[in-house]
Amino acid sequence: MDHSHYMKLALSMAASTQGQTSPNPMVGAVVVNNGEIVGMGAHLKAGEGHAEVNALRNAGDKAKGSDVYVTLEPCSHYGKTPPCSQLLISSGVKSVHIATRDPNPLVAGRGIQQLRDAGIDVLVGECEEEARELNKHFFHFIQHGTPYVTLKTAVTLDGKTATASGDSKWITSEESRTDVHYDRHRHDAILVGVNTVIQDNPLLTTRLPQGGKNPIRIILDTYLRTPLHSHVVKDDESATLIFTGSSVSEEQKQPFLQSGCEIVTLSEKRINIHSVLNELGARNIGSLYVEGGSTIHSAFLKESAFQELIMYMSPKLIGGSTAFTSFGGEGFPTMAEGLEMEIQSFERIGKDIKIVALPNTHS
């Protein structure tokens, strides 16, 4: 039996729900009986049936004596839904193939043990790397309590994000900009600094041909300079959360609160990135897409407070010693102190190159 074939099918079903399941993971399940697929299912939305529930319901009586392929360890606790481990046991399945264990302390091996105690064969590790990559946001959030942070930037071949006058429209192709909207759809929240709001007045929404989920909009604004007429304040396309420093008065906040924004005033005079991430984690925001300018990106770089960098590189040259770059500030004083990155992938999108890199934690 080709176990990887069925697991990859389960993974593809899980991947099709990107942007829908947070704060839960994406999970797919396939039920196979005598070499025939008799049930398939995916977890579609938090609070609704898990993948195993939907697949077993689809299989009906044919679940008895079957082999089940699931992309994440079945839950073993009562949450918004009953435990999937008990449903698998009561359905009389013969074996369960699990791509990867669940890092959630409420599960963490208990689901596997319950299945084995019931006499079910359990095999773990088929397509594990793919399964962990699919749910990297969830895994990070569960293990650290803060969102998985993706920095996104678009640059010219000479590393500029805008001309000296601040003009940045458009560096990249329409295809790259569409790709960015897919990433917005996949993240719980999107973050920019107040300067981006003042200069560009962005919508910070997901605009895809077939629609998509709008992430929560996060604005870092130490002195609450966000214009009251800006889209993030005036429209109701998505919730807007503005972080400020401690010097902002209640009087300053009132017009924003009346417009439906939420203000989080930190105890520090200047915004601390880790304080922001801790607050977002407490709000169950598991993934954060940072589209800030050089000031915001440099703040995340200085604190090593990100897990992934996505860079779109356009075949343009701007030049200019005062043109803007992805990371501002003073930077690291020596080359040896620079943050070593590991390139995960690169691909051509339209006329541009998309590079995905991760901080090298082993350097």
Side-chain angles (χ1 to χ4, degrees):
M1 186 179 291
D2 187 355
H3 300 305
S4 67
H5 168 74
Y6 298 120
M7 190 62 80
K8 285 176 180 176
L9 179 57
L11 283 166
S12 69
M13 286 192 297
S16 69
T17 67
Q18 290 197 45
Q20 295 181 194
T21 64
S22 184
N24 289 356
M26 295 169 279
V27 185
V30 173
V31 183
V32 180
N33 202 326
N34 289 322
E36 178 187 0
I37 296 174
V38 295
M40 299 168 62
H43 177 50
L44 300 179
K45 189 177 180 181
E48 296 184 1
H50 287 186
E52 302 94 318
V53 174
N54 293 330
L56 290 169
R57 184 179 294 136
N58 186 217
D61 293 340
K62 293 181 180 179
K64 189 172 184 179
S66 67
D67 304 292
V68 178
Y69 295 80
V70 61
T71 59
L72 188 68
E73 179 180 357
C75 64
S76 56
H77 63 288
Y78 283 88
K80 291 183 178 178
T81 59
C84 293
S85 57
Q86 293 301 320
L87 180 61
L88 287 161
I89 293 167
S90 63
S91 296
V93 306
K94 180 176 66 177
S95 71
V96 179
H97 297 253
I98 298 167
T100 186
R101 287 176 168 82
D102 191 334
N104 188 335
L106 293 173
V107 184
R110 292 186 180 90
I112 292 170
Q113 193 58 51
Q114 284 184 5
L115 295 172
R116 285 176 173 159
D117 288 346
I120 296 172
D121 289 335
V122 180
L123 297 93
V124 182
E126 187 71 51
C127 301
E128 182 169 13
E129 189 175 334
E130 297 96 316
R132 293 185 69 84
E133 174 65 20
L134 178 66
N135 277 310
K136 60 188 177 184
H137 295 174
F138 170 76
F139 275 58
H140 176 87
F141 178 67
I142 287 294
Q143 291 168 331
H144 300 277
T146 55
Y148 183 103
V149 177
T150 301
L151 302 187
K152 170 261 172 180
T153 187
V155 301
T156 58
L157 278 179
D158 53 344
K160 310 298 185 182
T161 59
T163 65
S165 67
D167 180 30
S168 62
K169 290 185 169 44
W170 293 103
I171 289 177
T172 54
S173 63
E174 186 175 343
E175 292 91 337
S176 289
R177 297 198 295 275
T178 298
D179 192 62
V180 167
H181 283 285
Y182 278 109
D183 269 334
R184 288 182 178 184
H185 169 75
R186 288 189 279 258
H187 285 77
D188 293 341
I190 181 171
L191 182 148
V192 299
V194 63
N195 289 333
T196 295
V197 177
I198 292 171
Q199 183 153 338
D200 299 338
N201 190 22
L203 291 165
L204 301 182
T205 53
T206 297
R207 298 183 295 283
L208 293 169
Q210 69 275 33
K213 181 197 71 178
N214 287 328
I216 297 170
R217 299 176 293 199
I218 312 296
I219 316 297
L220 302 191
D221 185 0
T222 302
Y223 303 109
L224 199 50
R225 297 184 295 123
T226 297
L228 282 166
H229 64 267
S230 58
H231 291 305
V232 294
V233 175
K234 284 296 183 186
D235 74 37
D236 58 356
E237 294 296 315
S238 182
T240 296
L241 189 59
I242 303 176
F243 282 84
T244 75
S246 59
S247 64
V248 172
S249 69
E250 292 301 316
E251 186 180 359
Q252 282 178 274
K253 299 176 190 177
Q254 283 310 307
F256 292 92
L257 297 174
Q258 290 168 8
S259 294
C261 297
E262 187 174 354
I263 308 289
V264 176
T265 301
L266 300 175
S267 59
E268 309 97 357
K269 286 187 177 180
R270 297 192 64 80
I271 291 173
N272 179 283
I273 294 298
H274 292 293
S275 296
V276 171
L277 295 179
N278 287 333
E279 176 64 26
L280 296 181
R283 292 168 178 261
N284 246 9
I285 293 174
S287 57
L288 179 65
Y289 195 60
V290 179
E291 283 199 58
S294 61
T295 301
I296 293 296
H297 278 116
S298 64
F300 278 87
L301 173 61
K302 183 180 179 182
E303 298 296 332
S304 296
F306 68 100
Q307 284 66 54
E308 183 173 327
L309 170 68
I310 297 177
M311 177 178 286
Y312 296 88
M313 183 170 284
S314 164
K316 292 180 182 176
L317 295 171
I318 292 176
S321 59
T322 58
F324 292 86
T325 59
S326 294
F327 297 87
E330 295 180 1
F332 295 108
T334 66
M335 190 64 71
E337 293 173 79
L339 181 61
E340 191 79 30
M341 301 289 290
E342 182 178 335
I343 294 177
Q344 292 292 105
S345 65
F346 56 91
E347 62 179 307
R348 185 159 184 168
I349 297 184
K351 63 182 181 179
D352 307 318
I353 299 293
K354 178 183 180 181
I355 301 170
V356 177
L358 310 181
N360 189 344
T361 55
H362 305 296
S363 61

